[in-house]
Amino acid sequence: MGILHTSIRVGGMVVRNRLYRAPVLEGAGSGPDAAEVYARQFVANAWAGVGLIIQGSCCVSEEGRTSPGMSVVASREQAMRLAPMVDDVHHGGAQIVLQLGHGGIFAMEGWHEPYASSRQGPLLAASPVPWFLRPSFAGVPVHVMTTPEVHDLARRFGMVAAWARHAGYDGVQLGSANAKLLDQFLSPFYNRRTDDFGGSLRNRARILEVIRREVSDQAGDDYPCMVKVPCETALPLTRRTTFVEALELARIAEEAGFDAVTPVNVSVFPDTTLSRGGVPNSLWRNRSMKARLRSAAPSRVRRATIMAGSYVGGRRAPFQPVWNRELITAVKRQVTVPVLAVGGIRTAGEVNEILDGGNADMVGIGRPFYAEPDLSARILGGDDGPRLCRNSNLCVPAQMLGMKGTCYNPAVRRAARPPA
């Protein structure tokens, strides 16, 4: 039996094998049917054998989502609505972790017109918006968080973690990458603060340390808390979190008491660099998508900015198998807590190579589960046949616009349809 099939302890959580479903947006929202929407995907994954499911980013406040389909867990009641789904996942033998985050300056209240018009407050920011991005934020109120407000935010993360535990989740993960608010604190591209949360890497990472203490205080010392560790690409001549800094950030996370780290190569912008693959041209070619985008962003300038970001992101970051390999391997040499691999992993061969080579302790797959809910059974069974997912990124516009998480590539959907 290979390493893939062995159990692993992550803090106080024991996972039955080393395969996990990586967090992606499911478009479940926060309505009364949210648990059912998640269950349609996650319960099938659990019964097919996946060890761990990380539920894609849920917002810790009523404002701050990056998509209308992102769930909000801003109250104990909202967390408890998801408890039946969590129970069903456990019945399938898998563990489930809730990823927590906030969009910061890229929250949909800043760009999605129906939500911007009913905005309750300004966008939250680590520092003033960089000057070259300010035209895109014309007329959008932005509030730079004070030091006490940062501590208040950390307490909110701890409170939501406690609610997640009450709902049965096995742990939480901080969504500290992908240009969201926590990443905006970590990144020198955005963070130009002069208080305890700005300046050196150690200071910029202090927000993670403070949140980790709050999770321990409010959810319990034994409640697993995981974190993403970003390494960034940025515009020429601008600052970013470098490869070397990402390694140091992983060490800081371990010292702060995080139970596992997930290293990821990301852009400083919320573009398709994260989900490397094709250009998501459905934004301008698919009639339904075009209509949804026009409703979300009536301004031609804003629509053009969104489409340009989608095009450039797809062109500069085409699909590459195991694209985080170098970063994951280097982080694994730096820390003793479990390292979770993710990014361009598609085959059983790649999964086993990473694990057997000692490059990571768990391996995650994300988007391919949209097309193949039983994918874990095939990976665990050693099936190295072709995957249905074609890495087209056509699921990305749907995620952004609040549609349900599924495969939107017509060719894949035809291939997945059982013969008549």
Side-chain angles (χ1 to χ4, degrees):
M1 180 174 67
I3 293 175
L4 172 60
H5 294 271
T6 62
S7 63
I8 182 172
R9 178 176 289 277
V10 181
M13 169 178 62
V14 177
V15 184
R16 62 181 172 183
N17 60 53
R18 307 300 182 98
L19 182 67
Y20 76 96
R21 174 169 175 149
V24 289
L25 282 179
E26 307 299 336
S30 301
D33 65 338
E36 295 176 17
V37 175
Y38 283 120
R40 288 184 203 124
Q41 291 277 345
F42 295 164
V43 175
N45 301 154
W47 284 104
V50 74
L52 172 68
I53 295 165
I54 302 181
Q55 181 178 324
S57 187
C58 289
C59 192
V60 298
S61 65
E62 287 294 346
E63 292 197 342
R65 290 172 290 171
T66 54
S67 160
M70 181 179 286
S71 297
V72 172
V73 186
S75 69
R76 189 178 188 280
E77 179 186 9
Q78 287 173 323
M80 294 308 297
R81 285 181 198 158
L82 300 171
M85 176 273 296
V86 173
D87 288 343
D88 287 344
V89 167
H90 287 154
H91 289 154
Q95 313 302 115
I96 181 166
V97 162
L98 183 64
Q99 188 186 70
L100 304 177
H102 189 291
I105 62 172
F106 295 117
M108 69 179 185
E109 286 83 7
W111 66 269
H112 198 294
E113 186 63 28
Y115 294 87
S117 62
S118 59
R119 184 192 306 114
Q120 299 298 306
L123 303 182
L124 300 183
S127 294
V129 176
W131 67 267
F132 45 84
L133 292 181
R134 288 175 192 168
S136 297
F137 288 83
V140 179
V142 176
H143 171 68
V144 177
M145 300 178 70
T146 65
T147 304
E149 287 171 339
V150 178
H151 284 280
D152 288 342
L153 178 69
R155 281 190 285 274
R156 170 151 284 277
F157 270 89
M159 186 184 307
V160 177
W163 294 334
R165 184 166 199 172
H166 292 155
Y169 285 96
D170 299 288
V172 292
Q173 183 189 60
L174 303 189
S176 47
N178 311 355
K180 293 186 171 67
L181 182 58
L182 297 185
D183 193 10
Q184 291 160 30
F185 271 88
L186 296 176
S187 174
F189 184 85
Y190 293 102
N191 188 336
R192 293 175 300 286
R193 300 176 69 94
T194 57
D195 64 354
D196 291 345
F197 295 98
S200 67
L201 175 63
R202 173 68 65 170
N203 280 1
R204 299 196 310 272
R206 183 162 282 119
I207 190 168
L208 300 184
E209 296 175 332
V210 175
I211 291 174
R212 183 65 188 93
R213 285 199 298 272
E214 289 291 341
V215 170
S216 180
D217 289 346
Q218 298 193 55
D221 287 335
D222 62 334
Y223 195 53
C225 185
M226 305 151 72
V227 67
K228 281 196 166 185
V229 175
C231 173
E232 297 177 320
T233 60
L235 297 171
L237 305 179
T238 58
R239 296 189 64 196
R240 60 189 176 86
T241 302
T242 65
F243 188 93
V244 171
E245 286 181 321
L247 300 186
E248 178 61 22
L249 185 56
R251 289 192 290 268
I252 291 172
E254 180 174 27
E255 291 171 7
F258 284 95
D259 296 294
V261 296
T262 304
V264 287
N265 282 292
V266 297
S267 169
V268 295
F269 301 119
D271 59 27
T272 50
T273 301
L274 173 71
S275 54
R276 298 186 184 190
V279 173
N281 55 29
S282 54
L283 273 177
W284 53 89
R285 289 186 178 176
N286 181 285
R287 185 173 301 175
S288 175
M289 294 283 185
K290 285 172 62 177
R292 286 175 178 268
L293 179 60
R294 191 177 299 112
S295 173
S299 163
R300 289 186 178 182
V301 173
R302 185 157 289 161
R303 285 204 308 277
T305 301
I306 292 171
M307 289 189 289
S310 299
Y311 179 82
V312 173
R315 294 290 293 178
R316 63 193 280 260
F319 181 78
Q320 177 186 353
V322 200
W323 64 71
N324 287 318
R325 184 190 299 274
E326 183 182 6
L327 178 62
I328 293 163
T329 303
V331 168
K332 176 63 180 167
R333 297 191 185 113
Q334 299 294 320
V335 299
T336 60
V337 295
V339 173
L340 276 60
V342 72
I345 301 165
R346 297 291 183 265
T347 68
E350 291 165 348
V351 169
N352 286 299
E353 178 189 9
I354 293 167
L355 293 171
D356 295 343
N359 304 131
D361 301 285
M362 294 191 72
V363 177
I365 299 175
R367 292 175 295 162
F369 276 105
Y370 281 159
E372 298 179 77
D374 62 345
L375 176 59
S376 48
R378 300 181 188 185
I379 296 292
L380 292 164
D383 178 0
D384 249 342
R387 300 277 77 88
L388 286 176
C389 178
R390 302 190 183 185
N391 312 299
S392 64
N393 273 335
L394 295 182
C395 54
V396 174
Q399 292 174 330
M400 179 182 72
L401 295 169
M403 301 167 68
K404 69 176 181 178
T406 188
C407 179
Y408 285 86
N409 187 317
V412 172
R413 293 167 75 94
R414 285 195 297 270
R417 189 180 301 135

